[in-house]
Amino acid sequence: MSKIANVSPAEVHSNTLGNVRTGLSADAIAEALINNLHCLQAKLPQHATRNDWYMALAYTIRDRMMERYMATVASIAETSTAAKVVAYLSAEFLTGPHLGNSLINLGIWQNVEEALSRVGQDLPLLLEQEEEPGLGNGGLGRLAACYMDSLATLNVPAIGYGIRYEFGIFDQLIRDGWQVEVTDKWLRFGNPWEIVRSEITFDVKLGGRTESYQDEEGRYRMRWLPERMVKGVAYDTPVPGYRVPTTNLLRLWKAEATESFDFEAFNVGDYYGAVNEKVASETISKVLYPNDEPEAGKQLRLAQQYFFVSCSLQDMLRLLQMRGETLDEFHLYWATQLNDTHPSIAVAELMRLLVDEHTMEWDRAWTITQQTCGYTNHTLLAEALERWPLPLFAKLLPRHLEIIYEINRRFLDDLRRRYPGDDQLLGRLSLIDEAGDKHVRMAHLASVGSHAINGVAALHTNLLKQTVLRDFYRVTPEKFLNVTNGVTPRRWVALSNPKLSALITRHIGDRWIANLEDELQHLEPLAIDVDFQRDWQTIKADNKRALADLIKERTGILVDPHSLFDIQVKRIHEYKRQHLNALYLITLYNKLRRNCSAAGTSRTVIFGGKAAPGYRMAKLIIKLINAIALTINLDPVVSQRLKVVFLPDFNVKSSHRVYPAADLSEQISTAGKEASGTGNMKFAMNGALTIGTLDGANVEIRDAVGHENFFLFGLTAEEVEQRRAEGYTPHSLYVSNPELRETIDLIASGFFSSGDRELFRPLVDSLLTRDDYMLLADYQSYVDCQQRASDAYANRNDWARMSILNTARVGRFSSDRSIREYCRDIWKIRLAASDER
Ligand code: 26W
């Protein structure tokens, strides 16, 4: 037996596990399928359900990632490689279903299709079977997943640290036009893609008090006496790179009771008491907070954030020790990225671990902490910037509050030296908001505790420097940089748009999938090639038919695949202005019912997106869209030229069908509000033209694709601020614009709410009084721009030319480019030559 003791994963695999667990051929996979059906599902083929076959296939594919996964883990844990490892700390990872992506990245799609056909199974049906791990709300969570795919594909050793929520983002049903939230029981059939690491567990302290003492060396030390402890258990999900050996891991923590059953309580008949701690502890990783901007400020949310951060940092210290490196070099081996402020307690927790638990000097620990951490900001919305009431913070994390006070004292002392007498500045920069009942400003903790602060698009980063973080930019300008978001072309083109991928590969080879920025531009000359245009249009038409089938299946609405598919899919939020799109629809409806040929091109307008359960105006916007849809789709005349659809339960899985089917991508947020957007990139990569404002990454997309290939409208971020500063009176626009007035009056009249004038009053009043997101100011420009889009679509070949140019010119929006910039500018990680650009 000793022979096996010290062999590399590759040897283990090839020597011991043999072909059935590693072979990539159709034969090996077919054999493995039956093996796993027998051994893991304990089912004979004739008795196997679709879920049994799906599970057997999932285990078969997982086996084939194990070799690469363990090789990568070995490289992270073994001393040989002095590589710096990226720790991506995020409260959300919106991975989407794993099966399809794994087949693409391992390059075994055909072989699996072949193997399945031999056992009478159909891959598309098994792909449908997979439950989507909805461990995120929207942009931030999905970006984290795209970045994990790029980190592996660029062979950068990395661990994505997060929370294994038992219940992810809710499933959305639409009942009588209203959103209804349904619990997301994604684990009900188990999860074949994760490996429970029951030996990788850490205790996390909560509540209680602190006390000082002198240690045996006479040093003044602090200890934390917690009120309770929970145990974090690691669950690993392999993250395969695209056609490379690296397979990184997503390490998600599940909360369990340190003592899951209290026998004493049981013996005295206190059965609830016996399991009380278990229930209380497990609550921490029970459910994802479904808010996507407005922060909840709930104690459980802070406990969730501290729980996964503490487990992750303890694990990073353990891995560092396994590598035989000293704590003093922590920052040389770990590049830790804080995905917004949600994990920013990491700054104080790393200080606690280094100073309290490992007796490091404060200054040394602080230098290491700053060198280790980078902070990415994803929003400018004031209500999304996390600030915790002091009493709540003191109750849950008493030691961290002391450490934050000390960080703050030293920070303000330094500022007082640099900006003598400028108490205003100090008050604005302080980690503690002294106003009213005091708060801890988490963005300030993240900013002072990091060596790099980045926004997620050029405009956003500039606005960060001018607004929410301007004082930090003033005192530490060297920390600020921009890294524009990106999306992975593996999931968002190769997986979700296989026909387009095949066409592109037929003309420029397949290197584009891993080198989008260099290769995709080779499509440009084909934009005027009529044969290529025809093939391009045929594929778009096929994708539109596929989406039309999904719409029929989910809503019963029949849409015309030959019409212009105009799509807005994203979380519902007033700044994203789904209700501006709705105003345009009513204006178009009014035009069409007056004169049917008015609008030229027939249109299918598709919406999708979830509203945070507590966000009333967002839910009212969903109701309005569905009410308008009902009216228009039932109108015998207008519905010939216009159909409106709200696609329920928009998520990663359904978005695979949506992005490839779009002709027009709606990116219409109030300029200065959408930090970046990433859906805009997915649409453009799949040949959609964008109608949008100069907001977030729209600005860079427009510059990349050519201003003439982008439908621009609306005020700029500057003009928005100016209009607001000079006093904005939306009502005057309502009065002066008859079409707008007719549109708003129709809503107010109860026309879309069977005469009930009260239903949409909150929305109408907010528009006519405050209109915080400048819908009325941008209304006419938007309506005119939509007419330009309609007119342009009338010339199909010219539209195809612009569509091809959009795809050809958005290579830079690959998440590989973003990750290269993080490696170069923040994590100081040198890529292997082959992965350099
Ligand atoms: C505390 C509640 C909460 C939850 C999530 C506040 C803020 C968030 C996220 C930051 C919201 C989010 O997803 N922001 C989006 O991040 C994307 C990735 O960078 C950007 O492309 C979007 O523009 C931004 O809205």
Side-chain angles (χ1 to χ4, degrees), residues 92 137-141 143 291-296 301 340 342 378-379 384 386 456 485 575-576 673-678:
E92 304 181 18
N137 278 284
L140 171 138
L143 184 82
N291 308 320
D292 186 50
E293 308 283 356
E295 62 131 346
R301 169 93 173 166
D340 214 278
H342 312 154
H378 296 265
T379 180
E386 294 189 300
V456 290
N485 282 167
Y575 85 79
K576 295 173 186 281
K673 297 298 179 189
E674 188 71 84
S676 164
T678 44

Side-chain angles (χ1 to χ4, degrees), residues 221-278:
R221 302 276 302 279
M222 288 298 291
R223 74 163 60 87
W224 178 12
L225 305 165
E227 175 210 333
R228 61 195 178 104
M229 298 267 267
V230 295
K231 181 171 74 173
V233 181
Y235 283 71
D236 287 357
T237 301
V239 179
Y242 176 77
R243 313 294 168 83
V244 292
T246 300
T247 292
N248 283 331
L249 63 163
L250 196 49
R251 181 157 283 178
L252 305 179
W253 302 98
K254 177 180 185 290
E256 289 186 2
T258 46
E259 201 43 61
S260 55
F261 191 73
D262 180 338
F263 226 157
E264 265 141 68
F266 176 78
N267 287 342
V268 297
D270 171 7
Y271 302 126
Y272 286 105
V275 293
N276 205 1
E277 196 210 324
K278 178 177 180 335

